Amino acid sequence: MTFVPPGSGWPEDPALPDTPVAHDPAQVVRLAAASRTLGELTARQSVCRACPRLVAWREEVATVKRRAFAEETYWGRPIAGWGEDRPEVLIVGLAPAAHGGNRTGRIFTGDRSGDWLFASLYRTGLAVRETSTHAGDGQRLVGARMLASVRCAPPGNKPEPSERAACFPWLARELELVAGGVRVIVALGGFAWQAVWPALREAGYVLPARRPPFGHGAEVEISRGTGTAHLLGCYHPSQQNTFTGRVTAEMLDTLFTRANALRSL
């Protein structure tokens, strides 16, 4: 088996053996729109097979594995949104890592980017533990939720435009379902900044006519109904960024401290 079967006992698996599966982009649109609850949506996200290239890659990685994880079972499926069902802070990334989320079954978990991110979330009170190693490890977000613009690990960390478009309905519907209490959306990296903008509009947010440029600490006020929220830009804590000093622990802590302040307004 090249992936963990849904409902087979993997910790935090949101799906069951009879969870509907999207086999093409049109079915993603239909299943996302028909998801009445967050539980239904995340279950369907986690079994999606709409993008043949991504399905083949994630399952190949789960079979071949990295030498350091050769004895582990890889998740090998899309990574669903994870965290609070009624969050005040949303953290949006690009896509799971081949040997990170694709291995562990949880977004931003099991790779060095996630190590940096969760350490900062812990220091700023948004996570209960400093590390996130595997689904079911006891980690929990506090008032926050994580989701990705693309739910499958892409080759070279670069999803194709058609794959980004196919995954868009999952993102937009998740934003819509949790929007009621959200006060802050943190976009990790320029791609997440670009991807979340049309998804926010699709989810009912009123946005400025022109999208401001991405930057670390960029901040935009948006609204939905009678409520307001803030979109924050954050450099991605990738190895390249952390090794070169483009992203530091202090920078991450300052940004998530700002997110906490905005959620309290």
Side-chain angles (χ1 to χ4, degrees):
M1 180 65 69
T2 56
F3 60 90
V4 172
S8 58
W10 185 279
E12 301 176 10
D13 185 350
L16 296 172
D18 61 350
T19 295
V21 178
H23 290 278
D24 58 45
Q27 290 179 350
V28 174
V29 172
R30 180 176 61 81
L31 289 176
S35 297
R36 296 163 296 176
T37 66
L38 200 55
E40 278 189 341
L41 181 71
T42 55
R44 294 169 179 185
Q45 289 171 352
S46 77
V47 295
C48 183
R49 302 183 67 84
C51 300
R53 188 183 78 113
L54 297 186
V55 172
W57 173 250
R58 78 193 190 208
E59 294 182 6
E60 177 184 344
V61 169
T63 302
V64 176
K65 306 180 183 180
R66 179 172 285 173
R67 181 176 297 178
F69 310 123
E71 302 304 316
E72 294 188 22
T73 298
Y74 275 52
W75 170 252
R77 284 166 44 196
I79 305 301
W82 176 78
E84 296 270 13
D85 286 352
R86 298 174 61 85
E88 294 178 318
V89 177
L90 287 179
I91 302 164
V92 184
L94 168 57
H99 303 281
N102 190 57
R103 172 176 62 89
T104 64
R106 182 194 291 157
I107 189 169
F108 291 117
T109 295
D111 58 34
R112 293 191 179 182
S113 296
D115 292 344
W116 276 74
L117 177 60
F118 274 98
S120 181
L121 295 176
Y122 173 73
R123 290 191 297 266
T124 55
L126 291 167
V128 300
R129 298 177 62 171
E130 189 173 11
T131 60
S132 181
T133 57
H134 207 281
D137 62 1
Q139 178 63 278
R140 181 173 57 85
L141 296 178
V142 181
R145 185 173 184 84
M146 293 180 168
L147 49 157
S149 306
V150 174
R151 305 305 170 117
C152 296
N157 293 321
K158 293 181 179 179
E160 295 179 347
S162 61
E163 293 161 350
R164 298 196 296 263
C167 215
F168 178 84
W170 295 134
L171 176 62
R173 181 58 175 154
E174 189 160 0
L175 288 171
E176 184 179 16
L177 286 172
V178 302
V182 170
R183 304 301 302 277
V184 183
I185 302 102
V186 177
L188 290 178
F191 176 81
W193 180 267
Q194 294 176 14
V196 78
W197 195 263
L200 288 168
R201 181 176 286 112
E202 184 79 8
Y205 284 88
V206 177
L207 309 175
R210 298 182 61 184
R211 183 175 64 211
F214 170 74
H216 189 81
E219 185 173 318
V220 184
E221 184 172 306
I222 59 179
S223 64
R224 188 176 188 273
T226 59
T228 61
H230 288 80
L231 174 62
L232 301 182
C234 179
Y235 287 156
H236 195 287
S238 64
Q239 288 191 56
Q240 180 179 0
N241 283 344
T242 55
F243 283 176
T244 61
R246 189 168 189 245
V247 172
T248 66
E250 183 180 4
M251 289 170 64
L252 292 176
D253 289 359
T254 298
L255 191 133
F256 286 113
T257 297
R258 174 62 176 162
N260 271 326
L262 289 170
R263 71 191 276 208
S264 301
L265 293 178

